[in-house]
Amino acid sequence: MLQGAAPARAATPSLNILTVTTPIYLLIGLGYLAVRAGWLARTDMRVLGQFVLRFALPALLFTMLARRSVAEIFDARFLLAYLGGSLTALTIGWFYARRKGGASYRAFVGMGMSFSNSGYVGVPVLLPWLGPPAAVAIALAMIVENLLMLPL
């Protein structure tokens, strides 16, 4: 290296975050403008959300996981850790809200504290940032959220 030359530097973490989150915010803005301009009705947003939740997201996760073996996907330690953290957050929320309302309110607060909504938030943020390995973690988190926490 030449004396006095500055070493090459990697992109800063804040710039990496912006490259991942900027498209998400642009899509939110585009949706707002589409409704504001009358291209889509507010009721259409519910239909689009259902499409993403019921078709696009499962198809994306299936595509990402189908390339891996079951042994590569299943991680009991991750499942137990995620479940333990979710149950702890639910319990804290439940007891925190007990002075302010009935059982429905306590369940609402507990779920708000424990349910991370990996499908709408985890997929668009983690996949571009961490790449395909994040799909396994997201899929396992969604198993805990949808099969255990949501019914609870």
Side-chain angles (χ1 to χ4, degrees):
M1 183 156 88
L2 296 173
Q3 193 171 21
R9 295 177 58 170
T12 62
S14 60
L15 188 58
N16 290 339
I17 295 293
L18 287 176
T19 60
V20 170
T21 57
T22 299
I24 296 167
Y25 289 117
L26 289 174
L27 281 173
I28 291 170
L30 182 62
Y32 173 80
L33 290 175
V35 171
R36 184 93 172 159
W39 299 330
L40 295 170
R42 288 181 189 252
T43 55
D44 295 339
M45 296 301 108
R46 181 173 172 88
V47 174
L48 287 172
Q50 290 295 321
F51 172 78
V52 168
L53 188 62
R54 294 185 179 178
F55 296 103
L57 185 59
L60 173 68
L61 288 172
F62 177 79
T63 303
M64 299 295 282
L65 296 177
R67 300 176 188 149
R68 293 176 165 76
S69 68
V70 174
E72 217 179 337
I73 296 169
F74 185 76
D75 186 352
R77 291 185 315 159
F78 179 88
L79 285 170
L80 289 174
Y82 194 81
L83 177 61
S86 297
L87 289 173
T88 300
L90 177 69
T91 303
I92 290 169
W94 178 273
F95 283 107
Y96 171 78
R98 71 180 167 172
R99 295 185 194 135
K100 297 182 180 186
S104 296
Y105 178 75
R106 290 190 306 256
F108 181 76
V109 171
M111 187 58 79
M113 290 179 67
S114 65
F115 201 76
S116 64
N117 197 3
S118 298
Y120 280 119
V121 178
V123 171
V125 172
L126 287 179
L127 281 181
W129 193 27
L130 299 177
V136 173
I138 293 169
L140 292 174
M142 290 180 70
I143 288 171
V144 170
E145 291 168 6
N146 293 310
L147 296 180
L148 300 171
M149 296 304 296
L150 193 57
L152 182 64

